[in-house]
Amino acid sequence: HIPSRSFAFLRSTGPLAMAVEGSQTKKLKVATMAPGAAASMADHALVEADDEDVPYSLIDKLQESGINAADLKKLKDAGFNTSQSVAFAMRKDLLSIKGLSDQKVDKIIEAARKSSEVGFVTCTQLVSKMKSRFQIATGAGKFDQMLGGGVESCSITEIFGEFRCGKTQLCHSLAVMAQMPSNMGGANGKVIYIDTEGTFRPDRVRQIAEAKGVAA
């Protein structure tokens, strides 16, 4: 098994980036999709930006569709904090939540899908969405050229290779670059770094930030 790293940009407007580090691809999926503890962490972080134009809606808004507050609390306790996390969840996972019957789950899923505008999009709509994507520089010019300008937003980029080839270093660099101004190749955003192997080094992040002229 070749170790890997993944860097995922969760949204394209008011960018919030997530650096997910671990050797198991399965864990990376859990970290970026609900349900799961990592998804809950991301959802809570997104709450801080609820005054911005973002492509998600908090699960509390499902009350407008007739879902009662008690059932919404059960969902949040299980790690579902956005309508999207419910809309894309497996039905059996929702049924495993204590107190949610088949009828309630069907009603919640229907409300979440309507709230999330889940469905088909036209080619014109897709092109419009893609225009909002951007690239974040890695700090290595040649590597950025290979990636077409850097690591793309609204996607999951998996980095794999042998031990000690620079995967963690790249994640550290991206964690800094994602917070840099756009005129410096960054995204002027925030970062969540999920480390499943104990290799995250705050002192290294500080060194990279200071080398870029940013106070850490």
Side-chain angles (χ1 to χ4, degrees), residues 6-18 32 53-55 126-136 150-158 187:
S6 179
F7 198 82
F9 293 92
L10 301 184
R11 57 191 174 94
S12 59
T13 55
L16 173 70
M18 175 184 285
T32 55
D53 180 20
V54 290
L126 181 59
V127 170
S128 179
K129 287 184 177 180
M130 291 181 69
K131 286 181 179 179
S132 65
R133 296 186 180 184
F134 55 88
Q135 280 75 35
I136 291 185
V151 177
E152 188 179 51
S153 65
C154 301
S155 61
I156 297 177
T157 301
E158 184 174 5

Side-chain angles (χ1 to χ4, degrees), residues 34-35 43 59 62 72 75-76 79-91 94 97 105 107-113 116 118:
D43 285 335
I59 200 170
L62 294 185
L72 293 178
L75 288 167
K76 287 190 283 188
F80 296 92
N81 293 285
T82 66
S83 298
Q84 285 76 8
S85 65
V86 173
F88 292 110
M90 296 185 68
R91 191 170 183 274
L94 296 173
I97 299 174
V105 166
K107 185 177 180 180
I108 290 170
I109 291 175
E110 182 181 1
R113 287 178 177 173
S116 307
V118 177

Side-chain angles (χ1 to χ4, degrees), residues 1 17 44 46 55 58 65 78 80 89 92 95 99 122 136 139 145 179 186 194 204:
H1 176 74
H44 283 299
L46 292 174
L58 298 178
S65 300
F80 296 92
K92 66 177 183 178
L95 286 171
T122 65
I136 291 185
Q145 289 180 16
Q179 301 178 74
I194 300 176
R204 182 59 187 140

Side-chain angles (χ1 to χ4, degrees), residues 111-124:
R113 287 178 177 173
K114 287 181 179 179
S115 173
S116 307
E117 299 182 355
V118 177
F120 294 101
V121 296
T122 65
C123 185
T124 301

Side-chain angles (χ1 to χ4, degrees), residues 103-199:
Q103 185 177 3
K104 283 186 176 181
V105 166
D106 289 339
K107 185 177 180 180
I108 290 170
I109 291 175
E110 182 181 1
R113 287 178 177 173
K114 287 181 179 179
S115 173
S116 307
E117 299 182 355
V118 177
F120 294 101
V121 296
T122 65
C123 185
T124 301
Q125 291 172 321
L126 181 59
V127 170
S128 179
K129 287 184 177 180
M130 291 181 69
K131 286 181 179 179
S132 65
R133 296 186 180 184
F134 55 88
Q135 280 75 35
I136 291 185
T138 63
K142 293 292 185 181
F143 191 37
D144 288 338
Q145 289 180 16
M146 293 172 61
L147 296 175
V151 177
E152 188 179 51
S153 65
C154 301
S155 61
I156 297 177
T157 301
E158 184 174 5
I159 306 155
F160 62 92
E162 299 294 339
F163 290 103
R164 304 185 68 81
C165 71
K167 301 185 299 296
T168 298
Q169 169 71 14
L170 181 56
C171 285
H172 285 156
S173 296
L174 286 170
V176 173
M177 293 303 299
Q179 301 178 74
M180 300 285 285
S182 56
N183 62 355
M184 296 180 68
N188 197 31
K190 298 179 181 179
V191 172
I192 298 175
Y193 198 115
I194 300 176
D195 179 11
T196 63
E197 296 183 333
T199 56

